[in-house]
Amino acid sequence: METTTNTNGLSLNPEQTNELPLQFTGNTREYFGIWIVNILLILLTVGFYTPWAKVRTNRYFYRNTLLDNSPFDYLADPWAILKGWILGIVIFIAYSVSTAVFPLLNLLFMLLLFLLVPVLVVKAMAFRLHNTSYRNLRFSFKKNYAAAFKYFVVWALLLPFTLFLMLPSYIYRQKKFIVNHSRFGSSQFEFKGTEVKFYEIYGIGLLILIGGGLAINMIAGSILVSGDFDFATLSGSSADGEPLPLLQFAMMIPMVVGTGLCYLFFFAYINTLIYNLIWNRSEIAGHTFTSTIKVKSMAWLYLSNGLAIILSFGLLVPWARIRMARYKINHLSLISLGDLGQFIAGETRHQEAFGDQVGDIFDLDIGL
Amino acid sequence: MPLQATYYDGQSAARYSVNISIVDAELIVITAKDFQHQIPLREINFPPHIGNTLYTFYLPQGAACETTSYEDLMAMLPSNGQQQVHSAIHRWENTLPLVGVALVLAVLLVWAFMQYGIPMLARDVAKRIPPEMETALAAEAMEILDSHIFEPSKLPPAKQQSLRNKFHTLAENPGLQIEFRHSEKIGANAFALPGGTMVFTDGLVNLAEHENEVISVFFHELGHVQQRHIMQRILENSFTALMLVLLTGDVGSASSLAATMPTLLLQAQHSRKAELEADSFAADALKQLGISPEHLGNMLERLEQQAKHGQIPDFLSSHPSTSQRKNFLKDK
């Protein structure tokens, strides 16, 4: 049995890889209670309970995620989040009022937000990771605003000029940036995936979308032709404004639904494959990961969760969240090359919650 | 009796099996195979318990201790006010009947706030908005409408001026500004902007069979202006959006969508109420001038027949049904 020492100084035994699956132990019954009490307290405190609610929710999900029988943890202080949250609300009110009076300000706000994205992303990642721990060692995010500006702003500006053909490159760089700047203790994560893989995923995804779209149009077209319908009456109201006959309207529904499902599948395909790619090609201190989520399952989850939430006026949100977390977490494993206890602490510095909260309020999608 | 736990020193990810005991109700003693720590209780951070997860408490210098039984640990510690609040919340979350109560209360609160709270707040704030801000908003809106939807009126200038003079004598509102516009797409319509700007389309003026009918529409729109409905609606929308953000902030866009549906229904309801209020205002004003409110009813009916869209079910519509309004006006 030969041991090697990798670049982080950890002793590894290549022959003794150990698959450590992650485990999600949360359930809907518990989480529903937490979720509804959160909402009640938020209402009773006119919103001020929100930071505590958020911390509680994250602690529930993190602490119910186990790796090698130890839970993850979320350590954020609600008071720290409160400051960022109040700032976010003030900005939101200023935005709402000023754009109601001067609708053109909307453009200015959006532009400002766009330029600030690198700051928000870096700060939000730093806050989130610094407040995440495993076995009492914190994660962290190395802040690099210049790189963030390059990948999130400059590259985004390039996209329209290349007709979005460079989107896979753009996404590749962003994901790589986030992974490579993330740390656990003093060890760095590293993304080893290739740019080509991203093109593959988006390329095939696009073919699926186009193929599906064509299929639907052909089916709809053949039904129309066989049924002797008139395109003019189908595409809008007739000259004297009569409402569409019920039957023709009914014909449009399957087409709309079909197209919707196509987009859903495309979305699920891209997300699933990219998520798997990132986990499967990332490593830390020689340990690697395996993610085995499937496109069909994810598509079904998105669809059923979405429908359940809408039909239940939001009451099934806890069920949907637990379901999604359980599926994704239970299909993730760490392939460890040695004792996990060997990770050591890194430098920890207090992080402000500003980026995290403003990102939340403007519903920015940050992270993996 | 010592409690078994797992100790993490915060310097590495190593796990240590330890026993915990309390001494003199103020010291916690953590004993492992190779070490022992004694730490005063008041230096330890005991966070709220969550769900049925393993419970972790945090020691000074970045160490932590994790136990499988929160209850056993709490039994060992002297009682503490903060802990009781945490336990109360935890109990509420975990007891099914209490969760049910929380659910009902939450739904009631949201409904009550959207039905009464937000409109009241909006009405209050609308009253405090300075007229200059309202006129600025109206000017902006007019510019946008003129560049995208409206063309200059095709009514003879004499007719426009005569109507304008008539309206100005009927109402003493300093912000009153009467505009006439032409639009094929919109047809016959009239609306008011915050601050007193009113727009009448050529279609509406031509649709009227009697001057009193145009006057009745004028009073209806004046009702909206006096009650500051328009600004109120804008504010209501913003407050509702803000509330939704607060409630669904960490849950994502699907739930925001679900939450907007009841809001739309409620907003439609408020809007219908505003229309009836404006009708009522118009009816009173018309009666004072010796004009029958039925003129408004007739105009509304004719407008409905001219409308290009089909029937929308009552509860979804932002306007009360025309028959409902006609009956209301006839009774006045």
Side-chain angles (χ1 to χ4, degrees):
Chain A
M1 259 188 342
E2 43 177 271
T3 50
T4 51
T5 319
N6 74 352
T7 43
N8 281 4
L10 292 177
S11 309
L12 304 175
N13 189 333
E15 281 170 9
Q16 237 185 33
T17 59
N18 204 358
E19 174 162 349
L20 296 169
L22 272 86
Q23 235 189 318
F24 183 69
T25 54
N27 66 58
T28 303
R29 209 195 63 88
E30 272 172 14
Y31 181 51
F32 187 83
I34 296 171
W35 179 80
I36 196 66
V37 171
N38 276 350
I39 289 191
L40 184 63
L41 289 173
I42 289 178
L43 288 170
L44 288 174
T45 57
V46 199
F48 281 94
Y49 188 73
T50 306
W52 280 263
K54 178 177 168 168
V55 166
R56 235 174 141 59
T57 301
N58 282 350
R59 290 190 71 225
Y60 182 76
F61 278 88
Y62 283 41
R63 295 195 63 81
N64 271 309
T65 305
L66 301 174
L67 172 63
D68 194 17
N69 293 319
S70 287
F72 286 81
D73 205 354
Y74 186 67
L75 303 165
D77 174 20
W79 291 103
I81 295 186
L82 183 65
K83 283 186 278 173
W85 180 83
I86 290 181
L87 186 60
I89 293 288
V90 167
I91 294 180
F92 183 78
I93 292 180
Y95 164 75
S96 299
V97 172
S98 60
T99 52
V101 180
F102 301 110
L104 291 174
L105 273 186
N106 213 320
L107 208 63
L108 190 68
F109 264 101
M110 289 297 118
L111 187 67
L112 266 174
L113 201 62
F114 175 64
L115 289 175
L116 281 178
V117 161
V119 175
L120 292 176
V121 168
V122 169
K123 276 185 175 293
M125 283 304 295
F127 183 80
R128 181 183 308 181
L129 286 188
H130 170 79
N131 285 304
T132 304
S133 72
Y134 174 67
R135 296 204 199 177
N136 206 33
L137 275 196
R138 287 184 193 247
F139 288 79
S140 62
F141 188 78
K142 188 166 188 329
K143 299 198 231 185
N144 187 339
Y145 294 106
F149 188 78
K150 184 166 58 161
Y151 299 128
F152 287 88
V153 176
V154 177
W155 268 85
L157 289 173
L158 282 178
L159 283 180
F161 290 105
T162 56
L163 293 178
F164 287 89
L165 285 175
M166 299 197 60
L167 185 70
S169 290
Y170 168 71
I171 302 288
Y172 161 70
R173 278 167 177 74
Q174 272 184 12
K175 301 296 187 191
K176 186 164 158 199
F177 168 75
I178 290 184
V179 174
N180 288 359
H181 284 78
S182 301
R183 280 156 175 62
F184 173 59
S186 59
S187 307
Q188 235 173 289
F189 281 91
E190 208 188 319
F191 178 60
K192 294 238 166 104
T194 60
E195 192 167 353
V196 173
K197 228 26 194 134
F198 281 82
Y199 275 96
E200 223 178 84
I201 294 174
Y202 275 93
I204 299 182
L206 203 61
L207 283 176
I208 294 179
L209 183 65
I210 296 177
L214 276 176
I216 290 177
N217 272 304
M218 288 202 313
I219 295 174
S222 60
I223 294 178
L224 290 176
V225 165
S226 66
D228 217 355
F229 288 121
D230 183 350
F231 260 119
T233 42
L234 206 68
S235 58
S237 52
S238 52
D240 35 290
E242 272 174 38
L244 299 172
L246 201 60
L247 193 59
Q248 289 173 330
F249 190 69
M251 284 280 97
M252 281 196 342
I253 294 181
M255 218 174 96
V256 169
V257 169
T259 315
L261 285 176
C262 254
Y263 275 106
L264 179 74
F265 197 78
F266 167 70
F267 178 73
Y269 181 83
I270 301 285
N271 279 11
T272 306
L273 263 70
I274 294 210
Y275 177 89
N276 280 346
L277 176 66
I278 293 175
W279 281 111
N280 289 334
R281 305 292 288 136
S282 290
E283 62 175 59
I284 177 166
H287 308 274
T288 54
F289 301 88
T290 307
S291 172
T292 55
I293 60 174
K294 302 260 177 299
V295 179
K296 275 210 284 264
S297 310
M298 287 298 284
W300 169 240
L301 273 175
Y302 285 136
L303 182 64
S304 50
N305 279 352
L307 283 175
I309 291 175
I310 292 179
L311 292 175
S312 67
F313 288 100
L315 283 179
L316 283 179
V317 159
W319 175 77
R321 287 198 83 194
I322 293 274
R323 245 179 129 211
M324 183 63 87
R326 182 182 293 140
Y327 181 69
K328 284 170 103 163
I329 292 172
N330 286 350
H331 282 81
L332 185 62
S333 303
L334 175 73
I335 314 286
S336 85
L337 270 187
D339 177 19
L340 289 182
Q342 288 190 11
F343 282 98
I344 54 174
E347 185 191 301
T348 57
R349 271 147 69 204
H350 174 73
Q351 307 291 339
E352 312 119 45
F354 165 67
D356 190 66
Q357 283 310 295
V358 175
D360 259 5
I361 285 176
F362 283 92
D363 212 16
L364 293 182
D365 193 12
I366 295 171
L368 287 175
Chain B
M1 196 183 93
L3 184 63
Q4 282 193 319
T6 310
Y7 176 82
Y8 304 100
D9 62 7
Q11 302 302 316
S12 78
R15 288 193 279 225
Y16 302 94
S17 280
V18 297
N19 282 328
I20 305 177
S21 50
I22 310 283
V23 168
D24 294 337
E26 60 169 43
L27 261 191
I28 197 164
V29 180
I30 299 172
T31 318
K33 203 167 37 153
D34 301 324
F35 61 79
Q36 190 187 76
H37 293 305
Q38 294 193 348
I39 302 157
L41 271 180
R42 57 185 155 68
E43 285 179 24
I44 299 182
N45 174 11
F46 292 98
H49 189 36
I50 186 90
N52 282 315
T53 55
L54 294 161
Y55 183 74
T56 304
F57 56 94
Y58 305 100
L59 310 164
Q61 266 117 47
C65 224
E66 175 192 286
T67 165
T68 50
S69 174
Y70 172 74
E71 289 78 23
D72 290 346
L73 178 66
M74 287 300 124
M76 286 167 48
L77 299 175
S79 69
N80 163 322
Q82 201 194 36
Q83 281 308 312
Q84 284 173 345
V85 173
H86 293 159
S87 296
I89 295 184
H90 184 251
R91 208 177 320 128
W92 200 308
E93 289 166 352
N94 278 310
T95 323
L96 210 52
L98 289 179
V99 168
V101 170
L103 177 61
V104 170
L105 274 179
V107 171
L108 276 177
L109 273 176
V110 172
W111 175 82
F113 196 63
M114 294 215 285
Q115 179 78 319
Y116 303 111
I118 287 186
M120 217 161 47
L121 197 59
R123 208 171 309 150
D124 204 54
V125 178
K127 283 201 204 107
R128 291 170 209 279
I129 292 186
E132 299 84 49
M133 196 158 148
E134 287 194 319
T135 28
L137 189 104
E140 277 289 323
M142 222 40 232
E143 247 185 66
I144 293 175
L145 291 168
D146 279 337
S147 54
H148 294 290
I149 300 182
F150 285 137
E151 291 160 18
S153 171
K154 295 196 166 77
L155 293 172
K159 172 108 189 177
Q160 290 185 37
Q161 201 49 38
S162 120
L163 277 174
R164 197 172 279 129
N165 292 339
K166 185 87 196 187
F167 293 154
H168 276 287
T169 49
L170 286 174
E172 278 165 27
N173 195 317
L176 197 64
Q177 193 180 320
I178 311 290
E179 301 286 342
F180 295 94
R181 293 288 188 277
H182 173 79
S183 166
E184 273 300 332
K185 229 188 306 183
I186 293 191
N189 213 329
F191 59 88
L193 294 169
T197 306
M198 287 192 205
V199 180
F200 295 85
T201 61
D202 294 354
L204 186 118
V205 177
N206 292 330
L207 189 64
E209 289 170 8
H210 189 284
E211 195 185 61
N212 282 344
E213 290 182 345
V214 188
I215 291 177
S216 63
V217 173
F218 165 76
F219 275 120
H220 172 98
E221 295 305 327
L222 191 66
H224 282 314
V225 172
Q226 306 281 46
Q227 316 277 34
R228 309 189 87 160
H229 281 159
I230 309 100
M231 202 64 213
Q232 214 179 308
R233 293 301 309 288
I234 295 176
L235 289 168
E236 271 178 28
N237 287 335
S238 297
F239 291 149
T240 312
L242 183 62
M243 192 183 77
L244 289 178
V245 160
L246 289 180
L247 284 182
T248 62
D250 66 335
V251 199
S253 40
S255 48
S256 315
L257 182 66
T260 51
M261 274 170 44
T263 357
L264 288 177
L265 292 177
L266 274 178
Q267 279 186 351
Q269 199 193 4
H270 290 152
S271 174
R272 291 203 291 280
K273 188 160 165 276
E275 292 301 317
L276 284 173
E277 271 178 29
D279 283 345
S280 178
F281 175 88
D284 290 338
L286 288 169
K287 269 167 54 178
Q288 271 195 345
L289 290 173
I291 304 176
S292 163
E294 274 189 36
H295 284 292
L296 183 56
N298 296 338
M299 196 65 192
L300 291 174
E301 202 173 48
R302 223 171 298 136
L303 279 168
E304 186 188 45
Q305 281 169 359
Q306 281 280 311
K308 291 197 167 180
H309 47 74
Q311 298 290 354
I312 305 172
D314 231 17
F315 59 86
L316 279 182
S317 162
S318 60
H319 281 65
S321 72
T322 313
S323 46
Q324 184 189 14
R325 296 169 84 179
K326 269 203 84 166
N327 292 336
F328 174 76
L329 290 163
K330 214 184 304 204
D331 291 338
K332 273 254 170 188

